[in-house]
């Protein structure tokens, strides 16, 4: 088995912090999710997370006007220049200080970033290759406090910068004779946003105390005069003399004054405040947190700390809408290019909304788990993933679109385990609230609730292969409870363990339940013998997790000492063990007093999962690594690093001496409070917020691992979210029984001679996917029957696997369905004898066909509805005509409508 798994998607988290951005066409939304970015395609209902990551959480995203480049800046000011087309990193840059905002000029030639109390203008990266993609052009000084926001004029001649010192500064991108800088006051709080009017220097400024100032300029954009060439040449020469002594050009510096002299202000651009408006404040802490303005439609959207947002029409300040989307702070808001869709991000809830304001409807409404995810399970066909979180919610995600399509909120406490039944239409979840609940995926309702005679906290869950028997383990009473799915009655209570039950697993092939406990034992219970204890395995340490191999012949057990042991449960013999404590490679927390190597001695694997073919096993725990072992050889095959985000705790292997002082670690100082969330300063002289504010970094950990039944991907619930790793077959050249005569030219020659079976066998020996597709699609549809019957048994499985992957990308649906049908009909009996080995391939095929079936059936239903409507309309018109001529036309009309309906049903059934 080849382990070319790579990161393919992030589910369960849709927004963390930072600014949201719409793409150039306005149909996709870019959302920063921790140290990655996700792109939500709103028209095709799909989500994609780019396979790149920054070192810390992303706080700023700037998109180029042509939509091809993006600048991602993290908490410490490290920037990545990213190609949105190639989905790769082009350049790294470090700004040395935290950056508050970044914005490209509308012509795409410059971009401005704000940090500390300055604005830095850089030459934007061009289409050609450059040695340095970030070349500083000008540095603008003026504000006394930190700069917060940026906006450009439509012709890229000027830009405005807002500041925490309650002032707004207008700077010229070039040195204009009548506008180098201009300072605007008029506010009593931090400037949140500033916006230029369309094709004008008129300006709107918005402050945190929910005040809006309207500024009118006495000069149009065309009235800006270029600097006389003499002065510009003199300044350029002076700058050139200074740069001779510098390693790299520092760019021009422009120092603004808040109160320029009369001589400096003469013949310069002047602003006057035309109006000042106040938003309706509904509480003392209802601060304005974000704003967005659409210049063409004059639409202003403002978000508040209470979760309310307003829509106003400017410049008259007419209120259009005022709605509440949550009770949490709205962190970011943006409008797409057409002005129809508004996107909101709430960092407190991890919520992302796209709202169409004219029809007052949601285009997108997604929210991850409020707290960390604890467990996950794949549906039997691999199409859906269910997750349970500490927030008590159970969410179901579609693996192809990466969207959550249903959330169950019946649990009143944290969910500890989730699973699917074998038919894939029922989800079971166990919780600390003392209930196990069954949810129906047809009607989206909780149809069964299983409880114990006395309230218990359930820590684990298992359901047998028939879906009839449900079992849950208790933390506090050390008992296992057995219920009937059909009746909902408690069938039995299994006692025998002397510690909390940590894990349960049913044998997929037999009626045997394995239970693991902190009492250092694993017990096997036989359902057919009245739940009698069949076997007890005694281990050297507390048992944390137990898992059966998919064929039911082997049992894997992970214990507190970091060891994974494998057992033949029939003969009660240990068949192997893996010492995995050092493979886990624990990181060092900020406040740890001991090294990571020493702390790893007390760490162990907390989750196990066999691969679909049972040849390897995945293991994870309180670490940033997931290990995959070969069971037979008991060797580590690969380690996956699930995160490189240093905003999480326990990421570093060694102590950072720069963060240590004589009084202890600098992590003890709550440095980030009060900067972003607007925490009230309670005492004079306190600049960093309330000392009682508890600021913590979440610790990196893997809580649950699951292999997809198709064998082509695996998922992990982590602190970052739900990570999906998929098999990337495009990177591997993996020939099968290759000999010297198998070449692309020989394969095409064989195909030209119409020896189709031989050509298919040769193509699979070379194992080049495009060549296989070319050969199979060259087989005439009337020859498929003959080719399928003459295929060797060894290649039937390979053709089925190829068909399953081809269904996802090919448009030849009927042709490939014919292939699948003929292969399964002719080789079905032989495939049954190898059903365990072939199960992942068959499930992968079923998943692909099922997805197409749902799409085509929706299309057919829509077509039937339209044709029925057309027939009804034609009959109405015909009735009017028949009132005048009730002879042959009626018969013709009825026969035509019957014929049309027969054709529609025929097409629908064939699809």
């Amino acid at each position: 088995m080849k382990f070319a798994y790579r990161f393919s998607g992030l589910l369960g988290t849709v927004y963390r912090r930072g600014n949201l951005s719409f793409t150039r066409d306005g149909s996709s939304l870019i959302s920063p999710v921790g140290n990655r970015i996700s792109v939500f395609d709103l028209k095709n209902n799909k989500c994609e997370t780019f396979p790149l990551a920054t070192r810390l959480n992303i706080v700023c995203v700037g998109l180029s006007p042509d939509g091809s480049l993006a600048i991602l800046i993290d908490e410490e000011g490290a920037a990545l220049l990213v190609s949105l087309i190639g989905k790769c990193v082009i350049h790294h840059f470090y700004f040395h200080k935290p950056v508050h905002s970044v914005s490209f000029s509308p012509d795409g030639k410059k971009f401005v970033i704000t940090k500390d109390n300055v604005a830095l203008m850089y030459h934007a990266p061009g289409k050609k290759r450059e040695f340095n993609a970030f070349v500083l052009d000008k540095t603008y000084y003026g504000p006394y406090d930190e700069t917060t926001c940026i906006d450009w004029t439509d012709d890229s001649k000027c830009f405005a910068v807002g500041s925490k010192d309650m002032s707004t500064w207008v700077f010229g991108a070039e040195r204009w004779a009548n506008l180098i800088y201009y300072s605007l006051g008029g506010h009593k709080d931090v400037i949140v946003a500033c916006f230029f009017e369309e094709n004008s220097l008129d300006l709107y400024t918005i402050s945190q105390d929910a005040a809006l100032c309207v500024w009118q300029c006495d000069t149009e954009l065309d009235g800006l005069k270029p600097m006389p060439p003499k002065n510009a040449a003199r300044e350029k020469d002076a700058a050139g003399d200074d740069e001779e002594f510098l390693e790299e050009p520092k760019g021009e510096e422009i120092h603004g004054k808040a109160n320029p002299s009369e001589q400096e202000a003469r013949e310069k651009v002047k602003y006057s405040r035309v109006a000042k408006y106040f938003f309706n404040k509904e509480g003392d802490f209802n601060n304005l947190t974000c704003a967005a303005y659409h210049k063409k439609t004059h639409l202003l959207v403002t978000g508040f700390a209470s979760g309310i947002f307003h829509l106003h029409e400017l410049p008259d300040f007419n209120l259009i809408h005022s709605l509440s989307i949550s009770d949490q702070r709205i962190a970011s808001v943006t409008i797409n290019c057409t002005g129809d869709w508004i996107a909101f991000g709430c960092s407190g809830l991890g919520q992302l909304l796209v709202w169409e304001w004219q029809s007052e409807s949601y285009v997108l409404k997604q929210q991850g788990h409020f707290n960390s995810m604890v467990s996950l399970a794949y549906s039997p066909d691999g199409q859906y993933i269910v997750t349970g979180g500490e927030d008590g919610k159970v969410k179901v995600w579609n693996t192809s679109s990466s969207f959550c399509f249903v959330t169950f909120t019946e649990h009143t406490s944290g969910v500890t385990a989730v699973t699917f039944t074998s038919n894939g239409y029922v989800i079971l979840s166990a919780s600390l609230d003392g209930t196990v609940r069954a949810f129906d995926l047809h009607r989206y309702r909780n149809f069964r609730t299983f409880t114990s005679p006395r309230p218990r906290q359930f820590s684990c869950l298992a359901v047998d292969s028939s879906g009839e028997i449900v079992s849950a383990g208790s933390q506090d009473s050390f008992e296992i409870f057995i219920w009937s799915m059909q009746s909902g009655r408690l069938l039995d209570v299994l006692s025998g363990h002397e510690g909390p039950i940590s894990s349960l697993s049913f044998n997929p092939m037999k009626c045997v339940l394995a239970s693991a406990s902190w009492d250092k034992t694993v017990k096997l219970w036989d359902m057919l013998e009245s739940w009698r204890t069949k076997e007890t395995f005694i281990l050297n340490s507390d048992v944390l997790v137990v898992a059966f191999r998919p064929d039911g012949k082997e049992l894997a057990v992970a214990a507190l000492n970091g060891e994974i042991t494998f057992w033949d449960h029939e003969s009660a013999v240990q068949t192997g063990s893996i010492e995995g404590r050092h493979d886990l490679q624990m990181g060092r927390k900020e406040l740890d007093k001991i090294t990571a190597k020493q702390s790893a001695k007390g760490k162990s694997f907390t989750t196990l999962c066999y691969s679909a073919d049972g040849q390897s096993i995945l293991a994870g725990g309180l670490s940033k690594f997931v290990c995959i072992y070969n069971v037979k050889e008991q060797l580590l095959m690969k380690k996956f690093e699930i995160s490189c985000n240093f905003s999480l705790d326990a990421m570093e292997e060694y102590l950072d001496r720069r963060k240590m002082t004589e009084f202890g670690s600098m992590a003890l100082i709550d440095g980030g409070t009060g900067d972003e969330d607007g925490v009230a300063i309670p005492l004079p002289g306190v600049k960093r917020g309330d000392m009682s504010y508890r600021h913590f970094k979440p610790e990196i950990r893997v809580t649950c691992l699951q292999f997809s039944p198709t064998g082509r991907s695996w998922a992990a619930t982590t602190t970052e979210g739900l990570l999906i790793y998929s098999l990337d077959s495009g990177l591997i050249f993996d020939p099968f029984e290759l000999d010297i005569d198998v070449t692309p030219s020989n394969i095409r020659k064989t195909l030209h001679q119409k020896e189709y079976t031989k050509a298919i066998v040769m193509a699979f020996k070379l194992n080049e996917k495009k060549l296989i597709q070319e050969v199979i699609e060259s087989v005439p549809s009337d020859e498929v029957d003959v080719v399928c019957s003459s295929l060797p048994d060894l290649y039937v499985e390979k053709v089925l696997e190829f068909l399953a992957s081809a269904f996802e990308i090919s448009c030849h649906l009927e042709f490939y369905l014919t292939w699948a049908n003929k292969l399964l009909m002719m080789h079905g009996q032989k495939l049954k004898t190898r059903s365990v080995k072939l199960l992942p391939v068959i499930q992968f095929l079923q998943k692909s066909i099922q997805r197409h079936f749902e799409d085509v059936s929706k299309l057919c239903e829509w077509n039937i509805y339209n044709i029925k409507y057309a027939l009804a309309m034609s009959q109405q018109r015909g009735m009017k005509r028949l009132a005048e001529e009730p002879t042959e036309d009626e018969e013709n009309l009825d026969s035509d409508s019957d014929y049309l309906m027969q054709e529609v049903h025929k097409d629908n059934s064939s699809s």
Side-chain angles (χ1 to χ4, degrees):
M1 187 176 180
K2 305 293 178 186
F3 292 101
Y5 290 97
R6 63 179 177 87
F7 174 80
S8 66
L10 173 64
L11 284 71
T13 312
V14 290
Y15 175 74
R16 283 276 173 84
R17 61 178 296 193
N19 61 300
L20 300 168
S21 306
F22 275 103
T23 52
R24 185 186 179 189
D25 60 357
S27 64
S28 297
L29 179 68
I30 295 177
S31 170
V33 184
N35 66 335
R36 301 180 185 270
I37 56 166
S38 293
V39 180
F40 294 87
D41 187 343
L42 302 173
K43 286 193 174 174
N44 297 318
N45 195 38
K46 284 191 175 180
C47 169
E48 182 185 11
T49 305
F50 282 12
L52 49 92
T54 55
R55 191 173 175 274
L56 297 163
N57 285 335
I58 296 169
V59 292
C60 300
V61 178
L63 294 186
S64 63
D66 62 358
S68 62
L69 297 175
I71 295 174
L72 314 179
I73 306 175
D74 70 17
E75 292 168 341
E76 287 185 353
L80 295 181
L81 178 65
V82 173
S83 166
L84 295 178
I85 299 166
K87 301 169 190 173
C88 59
V89 177
I90 299 172
H91 188 71
H92 293 259
F93 193 77
Y94 187 44
F95 290 111
H96 299 286
K97 291 282 181 72
V99 174
H100 302 107
S101 56
V102 58
S103 177
F104 276 86
S105 62
D107 62 5
K109 293 180 180 177
K110 304 281 177 69
F111 71 88
V112 173
I113 64 113
T114 58
K115 68 171 187 176
D116 285 346
N117 62 337
V118 298
L120 303 173
M121 185 164 71
Y122 287 82
H123 292 284
K127 307 287 185 194
K128 58 184 186 298
R129 292 185 181 181
E130 295 162 317
F131 178 71
N132 184 6
F134 289 67
V135 178
L136 183 62
D137 183 25
K138 294 183 180 68
T139 304
Y140 296 87
Y141 295 89
Y144 295 107
D145 206 342
E146 292 180 354
T147 45
T148 56
C149 54
I150 310 164
D151 191 54
W152 286 84
T153 55
D154 287 343
D155 59 359
S156 305
K157 288 182 178 178
C158 304
F159 65 92
V161 173
S163 171
K164 286 187 178 180
D165 66 1
M166 300 174 281
S167 67
T168 306
W169 291 74
V170 181
F171 292 109
E174 305 294 334
R175 284 188 77 109
W176 306 108
N178 53 346
L179 177 60
I180 300 172
Y181 60 86
Y182 198 98
S183 175
L184 302 169
H187 284 283
K188 297 180 180 178
D189 209 338
V190 174
I191 304 297
V192 173
C194 54
F195 305 107
F196 281 105
E197 189 54 272
E198 187 180 18
N199 297 318
S200 170
L201 281 169
D202 296 348
L203 191 67
Y204 302 106
T205 57
I206 302 167
S207 61
Q208 193 171 297
D209 61 352
L212 166 71
C213 288
V214 183
W215 304 89
Q216 192 171 19
C217 184
D218 64 352
T219 309
E220 292 298 319
L221 282 170
D222 298 336
L224 294 175
K225 302 169 188 173
M227 186 71 82
K230 289 182 182 177
N231 296 343
R234 195 179 303 131
E235 285 176 13
K236 191 173 181 181
D237 291 342
D241 293 341
D242 293 340
E243 284 172 8
E244 286 179 10
F245 303 100
L246 299 173
E247 291 183 10
E248 59 176 84
K250 294 292 182 186
E252 186 184 348
E253 290 189 357
I254 294 171
H255 293 266
K257 296 178 184 176
N259 298 306
S261 62
E262 287 185 16
Q263 185 178 354
E264 289 175 335
R266 197 178 299 135
E267 295 182 1
K268 297 283 171 70
V269 164
K270 288 186 176 62
Y271 276 91
S272 58
R273 194 174 77 188
V274 180
K276 186 172 184 179
Y277 300 105
F278 293 93
F279 297 86
N280 292 327
K281 293 181 71 175
E282 297 181 7
D284 296 333
F285 301 103
N286 195 11
N287 292 333
L288 191 147
T289 54
C290 55
Y293 180 61
H294 192 259
K295 295 181 182 181
K296 290 180 181 176
T297 56
H298 306 286
L299 185 72
L300 175 71
V301 187
T302 48
F304 292 83
S306 60
I308 293 170
F309 73 90
H310 295 320
L311 264 70
H312 285 88
E313 188 182 14
L314 295 182
D316 299 329
F317 200 65
N318 297 325
L319 182 66
I320 301 170
H321 282 299
S322 179
L323 293 169
S324 174
I325 56 172
S326 72
D327 57 354
Q328 295 285 325
R329 173 180 180 271
I330 300 175
S332 179
V333 61
T334 186
I335 310 175
N336 75 338
C337 57
T338 59
D340 297 327
W341 293 347
I342 305 168
F344 302 95
C346 300
S347 55
L349 292 172
Q351 193 175 30
L352 185 64
L353 304 170
V354 179
W355 196 61
E356 190 172 36
W357 66 275
Q358 288 166 326
S359 64
E360 299 186 26
S361 61
Y362 285 111
V363 178
L364 174 75
K365 189 176 184 181
Q366 290 285 303
Q367 181 180 339
H369 287 280
F370 179 66
N371 292 327
S372 58
M373 279 182 272
V374 175
S375 59
L376 82 129
Y378 268 99
S379 63
D381 60 359
Q383 206 165 353
Y384 306 120
I385 293 177
V386 60
T387 57
E390 289 177 356
D391 56 358
K393 291 179 181 175
V394 176
K395 288 179 174 283
V396 189
W397 306 82
N398 189 317
T399 54
S400 55
S401 68
S402 299
F403 283 135
C404 171
F405 62 90
V406 63
T407 302
F408 299 107
T409 57
E410 280 78 4
H411 284 295
T412 56
S413 188
V415 177
T416 53
V418 289
T419 186
F420 272 94
T421 55
S422 54
N423 63 7
Y425 298 116
V426 175
I427 293 169
L428 288 154
S429 61
S431 170
L432 296 175
D433 64 4
T435 63
V436 172
R437 294 179 184 269
F439 302 98
D440 181 7
L441 277 188
H442 283 305
R443 299 181 184 177
Y444 301 135
R445 65 189 180 96
N446 175 205
F447 70 94
R448 284 273 187 280
T449 303
F450 307 103
T451 56
S452 54
R454 292 183 182 179
R456 298 283 182 244
Q457 290 189 316
F458 296 120
S459 58
C460 50
L461 175 70
V463 61
D464 76 329
S465 54
S466 67
E468 293 299 322
I469 303 296
V470 180
S471 64
S474 167
Q475 275 188 346
D476 39 11
S477 69
F478 316 154
E479 293 170 330
I480 302 163
F481 296 86
I482 309 292
W483 295 277
S484 165
M485 174 69 83
Q486 288 229 340
S487 63
R489 289 175 53 196
L490 181 67
L491 299 178
D492 209 341
V493 180
L494 310 182
S495 304
H497 282 293
E498 296 172 2
I501 312 298
S502 55
S503 179
L504 294 174
S505 180
F506 265 104
N507 189 324
M509 300 300 166
K510 293 183 180 179
C511 303
V512 174
L513 174 69
S515 62
S517 171
W518 292 7
D519 62 3
K520 302 182 183 179
T521 64
V522 173
K523 291 182 181 290
L524 298 181
W525 313 82
D526 196 335
M527 185 173 72
L528 298 178
E529 297 182 14
S530 304
W531 297 107
R532 191 170 57 83
T533 307
K534 189 179 175 185
E535 202 69 59
T536 301
F537 305 142
I538 299 171
L539 286 93
N540 299 324
S541 186
D542 296 5
V543 186
L544 301 180
V545 62
V546 64
F548 273 104
R549 202 165 67 183
D551 62 1
K553 293 180 180 177
E554 189 176 72
L555 186 70
V557 179
L560 193 60
N561 59 4
E563 192 176 15
I564 303 172
T565 53
F566 300 98
W567 300 78
D568 181 352
H569 64 90
E570 291 290 340
S571 56
V573 174
Q574 183 177 333
T575 56
S577 67
I578 295 170
E579 186 64 47
R581 188 193 301 136
H582 296 294
D583 297 331
L584 201 57
Q585 205 171 333
M586 290 291 301
R588 180 169 186 160
K589 294 184 192 176
E590 284 186 333
L591 302 177
D592 275 356
K593 301 290 192 295
I594 57 173
T595 62
K597 191 176 180 182
Q598 292 296 322
S599 67
K601 288 183 178 177
K603 304 302 177 184
S604 56
F605 293 116
T606 56
T607 175
L608 291 177
C609 178
Y610 274 98
S611 61
D613 59 3
Q615 293 179 10
S616 50
I617 193 165
L618 275 171
L622 299 177
S623 164
K624 63 178 178 178
F625 290 104
V626 171
C627 303
I628 189 160
Y629 294 96
N630 185 298
V631 177
K632 190 177 179 182
E633 303 294 334
Q634 295 168 18
L635 291 172
L636 177 68
M637 302 195 69
K638 189 166 182 179
K639 279 166 76 170
F640 297 93
E641 187 176 3
I642 57 166
S643 179
C644 59
N645 187 359
F646 283 83
S647 294
L648 303 173
D649 206 359
M651 287 293 294
E652 300 196 39
E653 197 172 341
Y654 301 104
L655 189 67
D656 191 348
R657 301 276 177 198
R658 293 171 298 179
K659 294 181 181 176
M660 291 301 291
T661 66
E662 57 183 314
F663 306 107
S665 173
M666 290 176 71
L668 291 166
I669 302 167
D670 205 359
T673 315
D675 290 348
E676 181 188 315
D677 296 335
V679 179
I681 298 173
L683 293 171
V686 178
K687 293 183 179 179
R688 289 295 181 186
D690 194 345
M691 293 299 286
S692 65
Y693 183 82
R694 297 183 66 186
H695 180 73
F696 72 98
K697 288 171 76 172
E699 185 184 346
I700 185 70
R701 59 176 178 167
V702 179
T703 50
C704 189
L705 291 165
Q706 279 286 320
F707 244 103
S708 168
T710 63
R712 304 197 53 90
S713 63
W714 58 269
T717 50
T718 69
T719 316
E720 288 269 74
L722 175 61
L723 303 177
I724 309 287
Y725 284 79
S726 297
L727 194 62
D728 183 17
S729 54
L731 298 175
I732 309 171
F733 173 62
D734 182 24
F736 176 73
E737 295 182 354
L738 189 63
D739 56 44
I740 198 166
D741 296 327
V742 179
T743 62
S745 58
N746 282 351
I747 292 170
R748 289 188 178 97
K749 190 177 176 182
T750 310
L751 192 62
H752 187 67
Q753 293 168 358
K754 298 187 177 181
E755 297 180 24
Y756 300 118
T757 308
K758 188 179 177 183
I760 289 171
V761 170
M762 288 172 73
F764 275 103
K765 282 184 176 181
L766 194 62
N767 212 2
E768 281 285 339
K769 197 167 184 179
K770 286 186 178 177
L771 192 61
I772 294 169
Q773 185 175 348
E774 182 188 332
V775 171
I776 285 185
E777 289 183 1
S778 301
V779 178
S781 55
D782 55 349
E783 294 279 336
V784 171
D785 211 336
V786 180
V787 174
C788 286
S789 62
S790 59
L791 260 181
D793 293 343
L794 190 62
Y795 290 92
V796 172
E797 178 188 344
K798 292 187 175 295
V799 175
L800 284 172
E801 191 171 355
F802 168 77
L803 291 175
S805 59
F807 272 121
E808 295 188 332
I809 52 171
S810 178
C811 57
H812 304 297
L813 183 57
E814 188 180 357
F815 180 71
Y816 282 124
L817 279 172
T818 307
W819 268 95
N821 183 26
K822 298 295 182 189
L823 281 171
L824 292 172
M825 291 294 286
M826 290 181 177
H827 299 273
Q829 289 300 322
K830 291 178 183 176
L831 293 174
K832 268 187 180 180
T833 58
R834 294 182 291 140
S835 59
V836 175
K837 189 181 176 185
L838 289 175
L839 193 60
V841 176
I842 300 298
Q843 284 175 331
F844 183 32
L845 186 66
Q846 183 193 352
K847 176 188 173 184
S848 303
I849 294 172
Q850 180 69 25
R851 190 167 59 82
H852 279 294
F853 172 74
E854 288 171 3
D855 293 342
V856 173
S857 60
K858 283 178 188 173
L859 189 65
C860 290
E861 285 169 9
W862 178 245
N863 288 343
I864 289 173
Y865 170 75
N866 282 336
I867 290 169
K868 280 184 177 176
Y869 176 75
L871 285 172
M873 292 298 292
S874 66
Q875 282 176 354
Q876 267 191 343
R877 289 173 185 172
M879 291 295 287
K880 290 177 183 177
R881 270 192 256 123
L882 289 172
E884 299 169 4
E885 305 173 17
T887 52
E888 296 179 6
D889 290 343
E890 187 173 2
E891 293 173 8
N892 293 337
L893 186 65
D894 289 341
S895 61
D896 287 346
S897 62
D898 290 341
Y899 174 76
L900 262 172
M901 285 305 296
Q902 284 172 8
E903 288 297 312
V904 169
H905 284 298
K906 196 185 292 178
D907 291 345
N908 191 21
S909 60
S910 66
S911 298

